[in-house]
Amino acid sequence: MTLEDLLSKGYFPVEIPPPFHTSELSSKYKSLKSKLTALKIKESSRCANFSIAKVGLVRKLLKIPNPIHQVKLSEIISDNWNDIEIIHKESKFSLSRPLDKGLRAANPISFGEFLKTCYLQSFPYSFELKTDISKFYPSIYTHSIAWAIHTKAIAKKSRTDKTILGNKIDQAVQQTMHGQTIGIPIGPDTSLIIAEIIASKIDTLIKKQIPKVKGYRYIDDMYFFFHTYAEAEKGLIKIQQIIKEFELQINADKTIIRPIPHGIEPDWVIQLRKFEIRETARTQYNDLISFFSLAFDLALKLPNEYVLSYCISRIQHLKILADKNYILLETMLLKTMVAEPSTIKEIVRLLLTYKDKMSISYIEKVIFDFIEFNCLRGNDYELAWALWIIKSFNIKVPKKTASTLSACVDPISTLIILDLLDKKLIKKHEIDLSEWKSKIDENSLLDENWLLAYECAAKGWLLDDFSYIDKVPYFKTLKDNKVSFYDSNRQMELILDVTTETSPTLASHKSGKSIKKIVKPATETYSTFDFENFFTEDKDENEEIF
């Protein structure tokens, strides 16, 4: 695991819009390291917060640590990666061990593959114990990192020894979280690596106390198999005791002992997966209406399932066959976005993929009300991505919406708003900037507004005087070397294969009649387990119910 990867691919969460990046920090850090490490910074920092949507009333709170302390944590992990990997590999159950090949710095297999393995490997047993840890990341006691690496006895005797790995990671994580000893930030790959250290040690203790147990773990989700119900109950008691040793708790609401075999796919997934969209313009139009009608109906009946997320994934690679079908698809996408905001990121990808075919007037009918609704409720994810639609489609913001945006408190959305001001898509006199201006000084470079304060100085936005950045030499060094975390020209990847020609219509092997066929890219396969890749249970979440 290289420091470059942790900084470039494993720092900012994937859920934020595309202009936010850390590639310049990663590429320039090596040349700046001697200057930056010479700066002794005693203060801890706060993370920038970003609340993202999930289905129903549940939200997840992501955190973006300050680079002053996140870089230090990343260095410790990179420098000691061989030792950390040894700890990860000790687990006999883990299927979430971070691999350093993939889009992120740390890449476990998909949750769908985990479920598939559990399903296929449980066949000799009669009962399955399914459980997980309650609010895993937000509940981690940072001192338990040293317990997991060195054992609790050694760690407690060496509390003040700053040379041992567990204490180094413990202290560095606390610095990213304003000195707190409870919780690690959700978002950076460093947290996945740290969580896996603790979970792997839990696995080792489970294997030691229940030697014959068979099972698998994915982050904090655990599936164990037993021959009798009584054995499963005894296993659960021991697992609870082991987890408690690390100041963690079982999630009672998600703990169940159930007979094997059992179904793995919900009925609604089967219905949507089997729905076929035909290959002529008229039939495709009718089938799109029917498909979305089915999805909307299922979503109403199952408000806590990721029905509409799966719906969007099923039509993502569909080749549209007529102009009126594009307009229909745009309408359905906008309806879906309003009905289930957690889908907005992939809907933006589809809108941008078909940008030349999309109607700006249709987007305008929806997007301004959507922005106002989510801004006033502090829904960061929905607001940020909606603002990115405005930017991507060069849409001018009306006065009423601009006035509402004055209430935005999220630094991610605020920076996009400032970008819109810079591009004259918002009129300056129609938005009140005073609240944002009052938040920015040298102190804000260490609090939850660090990203806003730094980028304003780097871009020359919002203020006339940026001398505050000179009072924090770390950020002055980054600015002097033109390190930025926001690039207005960056854009998300589009879906390229929808421009390829569709496959020939299949012929029935008996009658010769055409068979309905959903259009898929030649390189993509859809196993019966693929649905889990689109709506995992987000094992590292800090859920908030509103």
Side-chain angles (χ1 to χ4, degrees):
M1 184 69 65
T2 66
L3 177 62
E4 290 76 15
D5 280 350
L6 282 172
L7 295 183
S8 64
K9 300 193 296 181
Y11 187 169
F12 282 8
V14 296
E15 292 86 350
I16 62 177
F20 296 92
H21 70 102
T22 52
S23 58
E24 290 178 0
L25 175 67
S26 176
S27 63
K28 296 180 181 180
Y29 180 72
K30 187 175 181 180
S31 63
L32 299 177
K33 181 177 179 178
S34 59
K35 289 182 181 179
L36 294 175
T37 52
L39 302 171
K40 303 299 182 183
I41 300 173
K42 295 181 179 179
E43 300 94 337
S44 60
S45 58
R46 296 183 186 273
C47 298
N49 296 317
F50 190 69
S51 170
I52 71 169
K54 296 181 65 183
V55 293
L57 300 176
V58 178
R59 301 191 68 81
K60 182 168 72 173
L61 187 64
L62 302 181
K63 291 183 175 292
I64 306 173
N66 194 300
I68 293 174
H69 298 114
Q70 182 60 23
V71 169
K72 179 62 176 176
L73 174 60
S74 300
E75 278 189 299
I76 293 169
I77 288 175
S78 175
D79 290 345
N80 295 277
W81 181 244
N82 289 338
D83 293 333
I84 291 171
E85 248 195 333
I86 290 171
I87 297 169
H88 288 171
K89 289 178 179 178
E90 287 176 358
S91 171
K92 303 300 181 184
F93 307 128
S94 178
L95 292 181
S96 55
R97 181 164 61 87
L99 306 174
D100 57 2
K101 293 182 179 179
L103 296 177
R104 296 286 294 181
N107 301 274
I109 66 169
S110 71
F111 188 64
E113 285 302 309
F114 163 72
L115 282 184
K116 181 177 180 180
T117 301
C118 291
Y119 189 76
L120 295 177
Q121 297 300 318
S122 63
F123 70 91
Y125 299 89
S126 299
F127 290 91
E128 175 187 82
L129 166 61
K130 175 182 177 291
T131 190
D132 70 8
I133 298 172
S134 179
K135 294 185 178 294
F136 186 31
Y137 281 25
S139 297
I140 287 176
Y141 182 44
T142 62
H143 294 340
S144 71
I145 300 167
W147 302 350
I149 296 174
H150 309 290
T151 75
K152 186 180 287 189
I154 293 174
K156 287 194 171 184
K157 287 180 181 179
S158 310
R159 285 178 183 171
T160 60
D161 186 350
K162 296 182 180 180
T163 65
I164 66 172
L165 178 57
N167 289 348
K168 286 181 181 180
I169 297 176
D170 177 8
Q171 181 64 24
V173 171
Q174 286 185 50
Q175 290 290 89
T176 70
M177 296 285 283
H178 198 53
Q180 295 179 27
T181 58
I182 300 295
I184 62 176
I186 302 171
D189 285 8
T190 49
S191 292
L192 171 62
I193 292 166
I194 292 166
E196 191 68 14
I197 290 173
I198 296 171
S200 293
K201 184 56 64 173
I202 290 173
D203 290 347
T204 300
L205 293 174
I206 291 173
K207 186 65 176 176
K208 183 177 180 180
Q209 294 191 30
I210 318 174
K212 295 182 179 180
V213 71
K214 174 83 171 183
Y216 299 95
R217 175 184 57 77
Y218 190 89
I219 306 179
D220 67 312
D221 237 78
M222 293 171 277
Y223 288 62
F224 293 106
F225 315 119
F226 301 88
H227 291 293
T228 68
Y229 191 92
E231 287 177 355
E233 285 185 311
K234 289 179 181 178
L236 175 58
I237 291 171
K238 289 183 179 180
I239 291 167
Q240 284 178 307
Q241 292 171 343
I242 292 167
I243 288 173
K244 192 175 180 180
E245 290 181 28
F246 291 85
E247 303 292 337
L248 298 167
Q249 293 184 344
I250 287 288
N251 187 339
D253 293 337
K254 293 185 179 180
T255 299
I256 185 174
I257 298 172
R258 55 185 177 180
I260 298 173
H262 54 76
I264 188 172
E265 289 184 330
D267 290 342
W268 65 264
V269 171
I270 297 171
Q271 289 184 63
L272 290 177
R273 191 182 64 248
K274 291 175 68 175
F275 195 99
E276 300 173 52
I277 298 177
R278 292 166 289 181
E279 291 183 333
T280 66
R282 190 177 75 173
T283 56
Q284 184 185 74
Y285 185 92
N286 293 332
D287 289 344
L288 279 172
I289 291 175
S290 299
F291 179 70
F292 276 96
S293 295
L294 173 61
F296 291 147
D297 185 52
L298 289 169
L300 285 174
K301 293 175 181 176
L302 302 164
N304 294 320
E305 299 285 353
Y306 284 81
V307 175
L308 294 181
S309 294
Y310 183 65
C311 164
I312 295 302
S313 76
R314 299 308 293 159
I315 55 92
Q316 216 169 28
H317 297 277
L318 185 68
K319 181 176 173 62
I320 305 301
L321 301 176
D323 286 346
K324 71 172 185 176
N325 294 11
Y326 283 108
I327 297 301
L328 172 64
L329 178 62
E330 180 181 17
T331 302
M332 294 303 180
L333 292 176
L334 294 172
K335 281 177 174 287
T336 303
M337 181 184 77
V338 173
E340 184 45 71
S342 65
T343 62
I344 189 170
K345 179 181 176 181
E346 293 310 312
I347 285 175
V348 172
R349 192 187 308 278
L350 280 162
L351 291 175
L352 289 172
T353 297
Y354 299 123
K355 186 175 181 179
D356 293 341
K357 299 288 188 177
M358 296 293 102
S359 167
I360 300 297
S361 64
Y362 276 45
I363 295 174
E364 288 179 339
K365 287 178 182 178
V366 173
I367 203 67
F368 300 132
D369 286 341
F370 185 85
I371 286 173
E372 291 173 31
F373 178 89
N374 287 288
C375 181
L376 294 174
R377 286 160 179 78
N379 294 339
D380 306 337
Y381 179 76
E382 296 91 316
L383 177 60
W385 279 100
L387 290 168
W388 191 244
I389 292 175
I390 295 287
K391 169 69 168 57
S392 300
F393 283 84
N394 204 39
I395 298 171
K396 291 190 175 181
V397 178
K399 181 178 181 179
K400 180 173 179 291
T401 304
S403 178
T404 302
L405 289 173
S406 303
C408 175
V409 296
D410 155 40
I412 299 296
S413 299
T414 301
L415 280 169
I416 300 176
I417 293 169
L418 294 175
D419 190 4
L420 297 178
L421 276 165
D422 186 59
K423 301 298 188 297
K424 296 183 172 29
L425 295 175
I426 297 177
K427 294 180 180 178
K428 192 172 182 179
H429 67 275
E430 293 180 347
I431 187 169
D432 183 1
L433 306 176
S434 59
E435 184 65 23
W436 301 338
K437 290 180 178 180
S438 69
K439 293 178 179 178
I440 298 180
D441 56 25
E442 67 270 21
N443 295 320
S444 60
L445 288 167
L446 288 173
D447 69 18
E448 59 273 12
N449 291 302
W450 71 264
L451 182 57
L452 174 63
Y454 177 75
E455 280 303 313
C456 282
K459 297 287 191 297
W461 288 346
L462 193 60
L463 302 175
D464 297 319
D465 181 9
F466 302 100
S467 58
Y468 64 88
I469 205 162
D470 297 336
K471 299 175 183 178
V472 183
Y474 193 100
F475 281 111
K476 183 181 186 303
T477 302
L478 294 183
K479 180 177 178 294
D480 289 347
N481 287 275
K482 301 187 185 323
V483 173
S484 176
F485 299 99
Y486 186 95
D487 181 353
S488 181
N489 296 315
R490 288 171 64 95
Q491 189 54 275
M492 65 195 313
E493 291 185 6
L494 306 183
I495 305 167
L496 300 179
D497 54 12
V498 295
T499 61
T500 61
E501 292 194 8
T502 58
S503 304
T505 303
L506 297 180
S508 166
H509 67 284
K510 288 186 178 180
S511 64
K513 295 180 180 179
S514 64
I515 299 175
K516 293 187 293 183
K517 178 179 178 294
I518 191 164
V519 181
K520 306 168 190 171
T523 58
E524 184 163 356
T525 59
Y526 291 81
S527 75
T528 57
F529 299 94
D530 71 337
F531 72 94
E532 286 293 349
N533 295 328
F534 299 101
F535 45 94
T536 70
E537 295 179 28
D538 290 328
K539 306 303 170 291
D540 53 346
E541 66 205 22
N542 176 13
E543 292 182 346
E544 300 174 347
I545 308 295
F546 295 103

